[in-house]
Amino acid sequence: MSSEKSIWNRLSSVVRHNLPLTLIIGAALLLELTSGILYYSAQNIIHKTVEKLIEREMNAIYLCIRNKLAKVEVTVDNMAWVVADDLEDPDWMYSITRRLVQNNPSILGCTVCFVPDYFSQKGRWFEPYAVRRADGTIDTLQLGSADHDYTKIDFYTEAIAKNGANWCKPYFDKDGAKAMVTTYSVPVHDDKGVTVGVVGADIALDWLEEVMEEGKFYKSTQRFIVTDEGHLLAGQDSRLFQMVQQLVETDEDKEGFETITDENGDERHVYFHPVGGSTNWILISVQNDKEVFSKLSKIRASLLVPVLAGLLLIGFIVWRTSRNLERLRKVNAEKERIGGELRVASQIQQNMLPHSQIQHADVDIFGSLVPAREVGGDLYDYYIRDEKLFFCIGDVSGKGAASAMVMSVVHSLFRAFSAKENSPAHIMQAINEASCRGNESNIFVTMFIGVLDLPTGRLRYCDAGHDAPITIENGKLRMEDCNPHLPVGVFDDVKYGVQETQLEPNSTLFLYTDGLTEAMNSKHKQFGIQRVEEVLMANCQLYPQQLLEVISEQVREFVGDANQSDDLTLLAIRYTPKHFESTLSRTLLIKNDVHEVSRFSTFIKSVMEELNIEKSLARQLRLAVEEAVVNVIDYAYPVGQDGDIEVRILSDGKILKTVIIDSGVAFDPTAKEKTDTSLSAEDRQIGGLGILLVRELMDSINYERDNGQNILTLTKNI
């Protein structure tokens, strides 16, 4: 016992007499321990970051592949309908395949394979085929023959067997494309539902290698694309690939993030994910941990010696000042971190706003947002869908990061809910209900949402406690009447109503937040609504961008050297409708009876002939208009109720407008999602495949509900 006490006393004496050295040694040991902890913590952070990085890389590749495949799938699906509607003209199939290859650079070749002896005059095998050659020319030929029996090829047999869409296994097409391809194919049915053939599109696989080599963050990254049967589509076959393939084969979902050890003892991170759709492809990415953590190891080794040497040199001074310096360093680092995050947040917030003017002849729109701090709580947005301008402006209560976060959420909600809804009141209602959920901070948003019908100038709007907009019309100002709704985010049971007004040609709608009227100068005087009206009157002839520049300059001159007290957001919309003078106007009134279709077909065919429209374009127009009219006949009125349907066809020689009017139940086809493409022609509804077909064939569509009538307008440049 006395021996232990003696050792402790001697050790205490050494520490007291050599305190600086003891502190330096302790600090060195502590620093080494801290360095080790930081190293493994940083390693863990890098590990998680790499997982996210790999996932983003593979998501980018996934989206690239899926976008290309999806374009091909949609194009071929639509082509199947076109082929089914023109089975009486086999020679026209050559034109269809050639046009599809011409209009789709992603497609190498296109084929229509009919069941044997379907066209007796064409022989047993009839396969119109078009292919893009290496020099860019397109060859059209009849491939079907005894030597090229397509009925035994996978793309044909699998589509027939599934009675649906199919991506076949890659194969070398020696007769047509003369390249390694994969084919997307769908069966074609006649009007009785009988399978009469298969439509297919070939895609060359060499682009997969290029996609897989793009955007690598680490040089040692290896990527592969395989089928679920283990066939390698892209990437290099190797021992590593064999190990990865075994890992993927044992996973039931074919999706995950795993770690393996290769034959050299190096750890590898493996990410795999199915491409999806009608394919059985799987994306695989493999990272080498040596490269991932190499810089971290070098940094640790290079810093250790200088740090220890520095500790020995500065000694007692480091001990006396280390705590203050560390505190100061943390404060500065935190300030820099916060400043950097605010700069990034400000950039993200600005990127959320529209940055370009809409290129549309019927409207000129411009907006600006100047935040009072690094980030702001104001927002505005606008875009055009189905010949309607959707726009909003809002002001979040409070300032700073919290308001900016709410602003970004409300902005996203506006985009999401307005994508399938035309009523500003319904959009506002949905935004309010979503904003109230989890709003424990009681942050609210004043907001104005408008929907402008571009062909008519009809403006429907909903105001949630926001400043009423000002309309500039014929040199006069008009403050729009707005119902006093509560702001968004206060109560989730608020009922919002819609209001309506008419914008005359060349009138301008001006919207703003209270950062304009409440802008203060050094004497604490506000800019005020009277000054706003004076500036608007003096510059009422200007277009939106010039008008907002003048107003912003007036505010800057008024405020002077005073700090900006609130976010300043301005939005101006000038309505400039095109004048349409029809040189041809034809009207047909029919009943909601399927037997009226033949009379309508005769009517529209005569109009096409009267306008002398080119045959293929006339066929597209008839297909689109008949699709819309047939759906109105089927669904506009309740079963057993008779109703009238008025079809007007107008043309000025350049543009063809078809207006379909009925007094049935309210039904907006532009707000419906795509339906199941496997349904028969009799079962499909406008708003699903029908509206997709109409959108593809027409330049624009527009729906309005006016005086109890559905008004659907289809426009095509002829």
Side-chain angles (χ1 to χ4, degrees), residues 20-36 304 307-312 318:
L21 179 60
T22 302
L23 292 174
I24 293 174
I25 294 173
L29 294 174
L30 181 61
L31 181 62
E32 181 62 19
L33 177 62
T34 303
S35 175
L304 182 60
V307 168
L308 293 177
L311 284 171
L312 294 174
V318 172

Side-chain angles (χ1 to χ4, degrees), residues 468-472 475-480 510 512 516-517 527-540 547 551:
I470 300 173
T471 300
I472 308 172
K476 298 180 180 179
L477 303 183
R478 180 180 75 248
M479 187 79 71
E480 293 296 342
F510 177 70
Y512 59 94
L516 173 62
T517 55
F527 194 74
I529 189 63
Q530 183 176 350
R531 284 189 177 86
V532 174
E533 293 176 345
E534 290 173 355
V535 176
L536 291 176
M537 281 295 298
N539 300 277
C540 60
L547 179 62
I551 294 175

